[in-house]
Amino acid sequence: MKKKLVSAVLCTAMLTTILAGCGGGGEAAPAATEPAAEAPTAEEAPAAEEEAPAAEAEAPSAEAEAPAASEGGRIIGYTCMDGTNPFFVALEGAIREVVEAHGDTLVSMDPANDSNTQIDQIEDMISRGVDLMFVNPVDADGIIPALDMLKDADIPMFGFDTQVGDMSYLVSYAGSDNYNAGYVCGKDLAEKCPEGGDILVLDSPTMQSVTDRTDGFLKAIEESGVTFNVVGQQDAQGNQQVANEKATDLLTANPDVVAIFGGNDPTALGAYAAADAAGVAPKIYGVDGSPDIKALLKDTMIEGTGAQSPITIGKTIAETAYKWLDGETVEEFIPIETFLITADNVDEFGTDAWQ
């Protein structure tokens, strides 16, 4: 019964991904807007990540007009790689809560995983007169032209979750210890598969956070002394449907792999659907600690997730920005703790919300 339910949930997630139209390029950059109908507060963070099943968050409307700033307040800009990603919905909601508590207005734009669109949208926000910018890049190096424009306009930049190619542009950055998030997954795999075997890796080279997680995972299995062979490694773009397609092809060629590492939880969900369809059961690891992945940790091939907290990241970088605006000295780099969640400890964190 649970397997049928999980399959239905994953199918729903796939449909959501298709409708979201992530990564579409070539379209004009959408106007600034409030995300979806109402961005959730930190306490109302959605119970899923990226295109995960339970998420009902929508990308900002392309037609909506930019909100007017509160009287006497600042206009604060926000860009993340994918506004439909429930992880970023929760994170944006945490930032918005802090911004609005200060009487300011947050203007959010969603580039839908397209670097050129992100640059165009940042240029648009500059023309709208934003006073400060929260930045999460689609492409760590590809965003540099937009950072140059922000710098020329004397707009301070604060990064979150994923580093930019040149961190000197940022006043401060807050993000998960992504290397450790992957490392704890690799360590767990080595302990559970002491005989080693063939494995698959679904990464995303343009996303520095995913690259760090992958590096941590591979380093952990290397240090373990257990022999694992990476027989397939492909770019899943951090996207559930893409991951499903890549994993389907890789599993056709390598049906006997003992494990799959996904650079985030949606990637792990895509790999899970592919493995389930292929009738194989490798141990699957993701990174995020999303509610839907946590719900699958018991009695499925989803083995673990390197957990992070989008709410903590959002609140931390927003509060740091306001400290800086008040003239305080702030840290340039603020790491946020990551840790492993498995079937053994998932009850401590629950499955209905982000930790």
Side-chain angles (χ1 to χ4, degrees):
M1 178 64 74
K2 181 169 184 177
K3 181 173 180 181
K4 291 182 179 178
L5 176 60
V6 169
S7 297
V9 168
L10 287 169
C11 288
T12 301
M14 293 295 180
L15 180 58
T16 302
T17 302
I18 294 170
L19 294 176
C22 292
E27 297 180 2
T33 178
E34 305 276 354
E38 294 183 1
T41 62
E43 290 75 16
E44 297 168 333
E49 219 229 323
E50 306 218 6
E51 292 82 8
E56 297 180 356
E58 298 178 358
S61 168
E63 291 76 21
E65 291 298 323
S70 302
E71 185 176 352
R74 303 179 182 91
I75 301 177
I76 309 297
Y78 170 97
T79 180
C80 71
M81 61 181 71
D82 181 4
T84 66
N85 175 343
F87 174 87
F88 287 116
V89 173
L91 196 155
E92 193 265 9
I95 289 178
R96 180 176 295 278
E97 184 175 345
V98 174
V99 168
E100 293 181 349
H102 284 82
D104 296 333
T105 299
L106 186 69
V107 177
S108 297
M109 286 191 172
D110 175 21
N113 274 318
D114 185 275
S115 185
N116 291 327
T117 299
Q118 186 169 50
I119 292 172
D120 291 342
Q121 290 176 339
I122 290 174
E123 185 174 18
D124 183 45
M125 281 191 274
I126 293 172
S127 70
R128 293 174 184 271
V130 296
D131 299 292
L132 181 146
M133 194 77 199
F134 291 112
V135 177
N136 168 267
V138 172
D139 185 305
D141 294 318
I143 198 173
I144 297 298
L147 303 187
D148 282 328
M149 288 188 286
L150 287 163
K151 183 178 180 179
D152 290 343
D154 293 323
I155 298 171
M157 296 161 262
F158 290 78
F160 61 91
D161 181 65
T162 301
Q163 297 181 41
V164 297
D166 184 349
M167 295 293 282
S168 68
Y169 284 91
L170 306 181
V171 175
S172 183
Y173 168 86
S176 298
D177 184 344
N178 285 300
Y179 183 89
N180 183 68
Y183 188 91
V184 294
C185 293
K187 182 179 178 181
D188 188 70
L189 172 62
E191 292 173 353
K192 291 176 176 175
C193 288
E195 71 285 358
D198 293 342
I199 62 175
L200 301 176
V201 174
L202 297 174
D203 58 15
S204 184
T206 65
M207 300 177 185
Q208 188 60 46
S209 57
V210 175
T211 296
D212 291 343
R213 296 166 189 175
T214 303
D215 289 346
F217 173 79
L218 294 175
K219 187 63 175 179
I221 60 176
E222 176 188 339
E223 291 181 350
S224 72
V226 179
T227 301
F228 289 101
N229 304 307
V230 180
V231 295
Q233 183 168 353
Q234 292 193 18
D235 180 5
Q237 302 175 24
N239 180 280
Q240 184 173 332
Q241 183 173 346
V242 174
N244 178 260
E245 294 167 356
K246 299 287 188 179
T248 296
D249 291 342
L250 288 170
L251 286 170
T252 298
N254 306 279
D256 298 325
V257 295
V258 298
I260 302 174
F261 174 73
N264 61 6
D265 279 353
T267 300
L269 283 170
Y272 175 39
D276 187 56
V280 296
K283 297 182 186 300
I284 298 176
Y285 290 85
V287 173
D288 284 329
S290 64
D292 280 352
I293 279 287
K294 289 187 291 185
L296 295 174
L297 285 171
K298 293 185 176 181
D299 304 321
T300 78
M301 68 187 88
I302 298 290
E303 194 67 32
T305 178
Q308 54 181 341
S309 172
I311 297 170
T312 301
I313 294 171
K315 283 187 172 182
T316 298
I317 196 60
E319 290 170 353
T320 298
Y322 278 100
K323 287 179 181 178
W324 183 82
L325 288 170
D326 288 339
E328 295 185 35
T329 299
V330 298
E331 296 178 63
E332 294 181 0
F333 189 92
I334 308 172
I336 307 297
E337 179 187 10
T338 55
F339 49 91
L340 184 69
I341 298 180
T342 67
D344 294 334
N345 64 352
V346 67
D347 289 339
E348 297 175 25
F349 303 99
T351 60
D352 58 350
W354 291 94
Q355 53 283 334

